[in-house]
Amino acid sequence: MELRNSIDGGRGLYDTFVQLMDFITGIFKTSLGRKYLMAITGAGLFGFVVMHMLGNLLVFAGPAAINEYAAKLQGLGPLLWVARIGLLGMVGLHIWSAIKLTSENREARTVEYDAAVEPVDAHRRGDIVAKFAARTMIFSGLIIAAFAFYHLAHYTWKVPQINGAGADFELFYVAADFTTTLEGGEEGKDHADIFKMIVTGFKVPAVSVFYVVAVGLLCFHLSHGLSAMFQSLGVKNKNIAPWMDRFAVCASALIFLGYISIPVCVLAGFIK
Amino acid sequence: MDKLMNLKLKVWRQDNADDVGRFEEYEAHDISPDMSFLEMLDVVNEGLIESGKEPIAFDSDCREGICGTCSMVINGAAHGGQKGTTACQLHMRHFSDGMTITVEPWRATAFPVHRDLVVDRTAFDRIQQKGGFISVRTGSVPDANAIPVPKDQSDLAMDAAQCIGCGACVAACKNASAMLFVAAKISHLSLVPQGQPERERRALAMVKQMDDEGFGNCTVTGSCEAVCPKEISLDFIARMNREYGRALIKKGTI
Ligand code: HEM
Ligand code: SF4
Ligand code: FES
């Protein structure tokens, strides 16, 4: 009581502070709290994945469209950094809770059953055994994380050694019309030629294959993750669950098609 | 009467909690299809006792699907995998003559094996003790219907109250998660007026105890719901998540 009065003169700030700390402990230190974290960061990352795809699809509208879009993003300045740090935070929390939850799950079941699942009603097997996507979330997730790192090195940090195209994306610039290639552009002054970078990047078959596989895994992750997310957030019930499951599958399929259309069209020569 | 069956059993035997345990094979002769799975084990045990061997230890009490003690995984499925059925209510007619049946105890770190098929499920009791009750004044019995309960609420509460605490949900879950059980218990009392005064405290305390007991976390596989003899719905886990979020915001701590 004395401490409380000395802090805020009894105005309740101390209580609010204690309650806030309890709330934070409740989120980070308990199973259900971490499931919330997982679901909220998963939802945020899903939002990013959708926006990123829509942005990328501008490549079909020609060099000017995507280069101008990229220039606008770059022009956001500090906001861009807020978004980047937010994303990094979400990835960090998602991975942290994923590893924590998964290792707890392993410890909770250290001995596996000897017999394969053969219920007396054979048709119920599919309901009793966890689906493959659900059993492999940590692996699909970690591979996506590894891919994301490679992807950043490829197109954001533009590390020439890993693009396999024998080109330095750092040197790809466009003139003010966002279309004409500019030789010897200057960083910070001229606009990057994102279009040329995409075409050159995906012309390398191995790069495209890796990309398609990674996006496939992401969508596999989402096919379970999106429907689990509604459950973790407590908004699922038997009436709407079938729609949520359909949403998860359809959204994953659309994201898959949206992303892979770009390397596929580059390799097929539709985008050049 | 239907034809009697002969079966082969492969049963987990473990002398005590410290023993490493092993599978042993037995033959079950002249089993009637009308016997329950436990009656079949009784027959095998009588044979074992007659030949001077240690009978297979397993839990059972009511043998009518309401006490939840008959924990065993039959051919990889908790309670044998018939819809809404405990092992004591599972009939031998679901098995065919000459078949080999594997019988194992619940496998979960939080449910250590005591002996053979008997596991220690007191972790569930400790979770219940943290909040699976309502505190009422002592005194005379309250008038019937003194507290109005909306019909749909009470129906839902009764669905949750069906849980018999058997632990099949934990046994079937690849993460040995107890969330279906805890969700049933939290939901049951949060749905009726009598449970309101302790609503937040209950959610926070029971979830904490569940974590402390070393159960895993739900990854929404649906295995628990599929094996639950009382067909407790996955919806209650979503409800528990809501209850917990609500309690964290309203109260923060136990
Ligand atoms: C763009 C990247 C990602 C997106 C959009 C995404 C999305 C999601 C979503 C929506 C969920 C469901 C949340 C829930 O269970 O309530 C989820 C769960 C999960 N994610 Fe991710 N995730 C991504 C990356 C990762 C990474 C890098 C990992 C690696 C550690 C990972 C591991 C997991 C695990 C283990 C689960 C829990 C699965 C479950 O509860 O069944 N995810 N993810
Ligand atoms: S939820 Fe179902 S499976 Fe789990 S303890 Fe209760 S009755 Fe048994
Ligand atoms: S012995 Fe009581 S439920 Fe099976």
Side-chain angles (χ1 to χ4, degrees):
Chain A
M1 208 49 178
E2 220 158 80
L3 174 68
R4 162 204 282 195
N5 286 343
S6 71
I7 288 179
D8 65 359
R11 271 170 295 141
L13 271 179
Y14 176 74
D15 286 347
T16 313
F17 175 73
V18 168
Q19 196 168 359
L20 184 69
M21 292 320 281
D22 286 343
F23 181 79
I24 292 172
T25 330
I27 291 283
F28 282 88
K29 291 233 162 134
T30 67
S31 55
L32 292 195
R34 290 193 209 108
K35 288 293 314 190
Y36 269 118
L37 271 186
M38 195 87 218
I40 291 166
T41 54
L45 292 174
F46 170 67
F48 166 75
V49 164
V50 171
M51 298 312 289
H52 186 36
M53 177 187 78
L54 294 177
N56 287 0
L57 287 176
L58 283 174
V59 71
F60 288 103
I66 192 157
N67 286 338
E68 193 182 344
Y69 168 73
K72 280 210 180 111
L73 279 186
Q74 285 296 332
L76 288 177
L79 264 184
L80 186 65
W81 278 103
V82 172
R84 280 177 175 159
I85 290 167
L87 265 176
L88 195 66
M90 285 198 285
V91 170
L93 284 176
H94 194 79
I95 297 183
W96 173 76
S97 37
I99 292 175
K100 185 93 184 137
L101 290 169
T102 308
S103 64
E104 283 172 2
N105 294 347
R106 296 266 159 89
E107 280 164 31
R109 160 67 59 69
T110 49
V111 185
E112 284 306 325
Y113 294 107
D114 188 68
V117 180
E118 278 167 27
V120 294
D121 289 337
H123 69 275
R124 305 190 72 244
R125 188 174 185 281
D127 294 336
I128 296 176
V129 180
K131 303 269 179 301
F132 187 61
R135 278 186 282 128
T136 51
M137 287 300 272
I138 189 76
F139 303 112
S140 53
L142 286 173
I143 299 172
I144 302 164
F147 168 76
F149 188 75
Y150 167 80
H151 189 63
L152 282 172
H154 189 203
Y155 283 138
T156 306
W157 306 321
K158 303 176 186 176
V159 179
Q161 291 83 351
I162 61 153
N163 64 36
D168 187 354
F169 296 163
E170 205 76 79
L171 306 175
F172 290 7
Y173 286 101
V174 276
D177 63 356
F178 290 115
T179 313
T180 330
T181 302
L182 196 68
E183 297 294 340
E186 240 181 85
E187 197 185 345
K189 193 166 137 285
D190 293 302
H191 298 301
D193 193 349
I194 303 299
F195 185 83
K196 186 173 167 195
M197 200 168 79
I198 293 177
V199 175
T200 319
F202 286 136
K203 268 271 180 291
V204 183
V207 169
S208 282
V209 168
F210 184 33
Y211 185 87
V212 171
V213 170
V215 172
L217 276 173
L218 169 64
C219 296
F220 191 58
H221 190 83
L222 286 176
S223 69
H224 175 71
L226 289 177
S227 75
M229 174 184 81
F230 292 115
Q231 175 81 350
S232 302
L233 295 175
V235 295
K236 211 170 185 181
N237 65 51
K238 284 278 179 296
N239 297 329
I240 40 175
W243 290 102
M244 290 172 167
D245 296 348
R246 268 171 227 147
F247 163 78
V249 172
C250 293
S252 311
L254 285 177
I255 289 175
F256 181 67
L257 294 176
Y259 273 106
I260 69 156
S261 65
I262 298 166
V264 167
C265 288
V266 167
L267 281 182
F270 294 130
I271 308 177
K272 49 186 179 241
Chain B
M1 203 167 122
D2 288 316
K3 205 171 137 274
L4 296 183
M5 296 186 286
N6 292 319
L7 299 158
K8 283 198 191 67
L9 295 184
K10 190 178 156 197
V11 184
W12 181 257
R13 300 303 306 262
Q14 183 173 333
D15 299 341
N16 54 52
D18 300 323
D19 183 16
V20 287
R22 72 263 158 213
F23 279 102
E24 277 181 22
E25 302 205 355
Y26 304 98
E27 310 231 325
H29 295 294
D30 300 332
I31 299 300
S32 157
D34 299 329
M35 281 180 182
S36 74
F37 199 85
L38 302 193
E39 283 165 338
M40 181 276 293
L41 288 180
D42 290 339
V43 170
V44 174
N45 273 348
E46 266 163 38
L48 287 175
I49 293 168
E50 265 167 31
S51 56
K53 294 198 189 111
E54 198 55 43
I56 303 161
F58 63 91
D59 266 330
S60 80
D61 187 12
C62 70
R63 299 216 175 187
E64 57 177 14
I66 55 168
C67 75
T69 52
C70 52
S71 49
M72 57 189 74
V73 169
I74 302 164
N75 282 343
H79 289 305
Q82 190 188 13
K83 190 172 159 58
T85 310
T86 52
C88 59
Q89 295 271 288
L90 181 69
H91 287 93
M92 293 313 294
R93 67 179 79 100
H94 296 288
F95 300 90
S96 42
D97 192 27
M99 189 174 175
T100 301
I101 305 174
T102 309
V103 194
E104 298 167 77
W106 287 171
R107 293 294 190 191
T109 310
F111 286 163
V113 177
H114 261 328
R115 182 180 191 136
D116 300 347
L117 304 176
V118 178
V119 299
D120 178 354
R121 288 179 301 134
T122 48
F124 269 13
D125 299 340
R126 288 188 291 271
I127 295 174
Q128 279 288 61
Q129 284 155 9
K130 292 290 172 182
F133 53 81
I134 53 167
S135 305
V136 286
R137 65 183 177 88
T138 54
S140 55
V141 180
D143 285 342
N145 297 331
I147 306 170
V149 186
K151 172 72 173 140
D152 54 343
Q153 298 268 101
S154 83
D155 281 353
L156 207 52
M158 288 308 128
D159 286 348
Q162 294 258 337
C163 168
I164 54 177
C166 66
C169 42
V170 176
C173 175
K174 73 176 179 67
N175 312 321
S177 165
M179 289 199 188
L180 193 64
F181 165 76
V182 179
K185 297 304 173 195
I186 289 179
S187 302
H188 160 209
L189 293 174
S190 78
L191 277 160
V192 288
Q194 291 89 336
Q196 299 310 307
E198 289 145 315
R199 188 168 166 186
E200 292 82 28
R201 206 197 64 84
R202 173 183 306 115
L204 295 169
M206 290 182 80
V207 168
K208 176 162 191 311
Q209 190 63 31
M210 168 180 85
D211 290 353
D212 290 349
E213 294 291 350
F215 291 105
N217 309 289
C218 177
T219 59
V220 204
T221 64
S223 307
C224 53
E225 183 187 44
V227 299
C228 173
K230 298 297 147 185
E231 301 180 62
I232 301 293
S233 164
L234 226 47
D235 289 5
F236 288 116
I237 297 186
R239 181 176 290 274
M240 167 176 72
N241 294 344
R242 278 205 298 285
E243 282 297 318
Y244 186 75
R246 185 180 169 281
L248 265 190
I249 290 166
K250 282 192 78 167
K251 204 154 179 292
T253 186
I254 309 157

